[in-house]
């Protein structure tokens, strides 16, 4: 079982990364966590919400670089819906998707090799002890 740890995520955050870190910890979208924070501020608990945000900003550690790389290994691909919207060309997106699928294929092959190896069986038996 993987133990979750709460971190700030300034890379994906707007102010201090507290909402981004909370969103990652609870497994929700960042925009939803931001809406909840603003709603808490507007519904009369503004002072408490502000103090809690500042305290979390000061207390929580930044998300480690390894975790960021694991979390953001895959990029989001947005194709333009209208000519005035910014975005990558469909050819560039297709190239990026193919690159990511190639990396995923290599990772899957490594996992399959490990799971079918004798080292996996030995590790599993040690974990059962």
């Amino acid at each position: 079982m993987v133990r979750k740890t709460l971190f700030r995520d300034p890379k994906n955050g707007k102010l201090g990364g507290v909402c981004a870190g909370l969103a990652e910890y609870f497994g929700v979208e960042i925009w939803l966590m931001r809406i909840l924070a603003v709603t808490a501020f507007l519904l009369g608990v503004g002072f408490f919400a502000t103090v809690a945000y500042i305290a979390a900003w000061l207390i929580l550690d930044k998300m480690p670089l390894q975790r960021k790389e694991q979390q953001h290994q895959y990029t989001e691909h947005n194709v333009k819906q209208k000519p005035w919207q910014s975005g990558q060309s469909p050819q560039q997106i297709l190239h990026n998707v193919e690159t990511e699928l190639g990396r995923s294929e290599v990772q899957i092959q490594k996992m399959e090799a490990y799971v079918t190896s004798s080292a996996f069986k030995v590790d599993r038996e040690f974990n059962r002890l």
Side-chain angles (χ1 to χ4, degrees):
M1 181 174 169
V2 177
R3 182 176 171 210
K4 287 187 174 184
T5 306
L6 182 58
F7 292 106
R8 286 186 302 119
D9 188 5
K11 182 179 178 184
N12 293 317
K14 295 292 183 189
L15 189 58
V18 175
C19 288
L22 287 170
E24 193 271 329
Y25 182 78
F26 290 113
V28 297
E29 296 288 330
I30 296 173
W31 63 267
L32 179 61
M33 191 58 66
R34 289 182 183 140
I35 288 175
L36 290 173
V38 170
T39 303
F41 181 77
L42 294 176
L43 289 178
V45 290
F47 177 74
F48 176 73
T50 304
V51 170
Y53 189 92
I54 292 171
W57 191 351
L58 295 173
I59 293 171
L60 294 176
D61 293 328
K62 287 183 181 179
M63 185 177 287
L65 184 59
Q66 287 178 336
R67 186 141 179 197
K68 284 182 186 178
E69 290 172 356
Q70 290 172 356
Q71 178 185 7
H72 304 292
Q73 184 175 2
Y74 302 103
T75 56
E76 185 175 324
H77 304 288
N78 294 321
V79 179
K80 297 183 223 178
Q81 298 297 322
K82 299 178 177 93
W84 60 85
Q85 292 177 326
S86 63
Q88 298 175 331
S89 68
Q91 292 83 11
Q92 182 63 40
I93 290 175
L94 181 61
H95 174 72
N96 292 347
V97 169
E98 287 174 348
T99 303
E100 285 183 18
L101 287 175
R103 284 194 309 244
S104 297
E105 180 67 27
V106 170
Q107 289 177 342
I108 290 170
Q109 289 173 354
K110 287 179 183 178
M111 285 189 293
E112 286 177 346
Y114 174 68
V115 169
T116 57
S117 71
S118 59
F120 174 75
K121 294 174 186 172
V122 171
D123 289 342
R124 184 177 55 191
E125 292 302 320
F126 274 121
N127 287 334
R128 287 184 181 172
L129 292 178

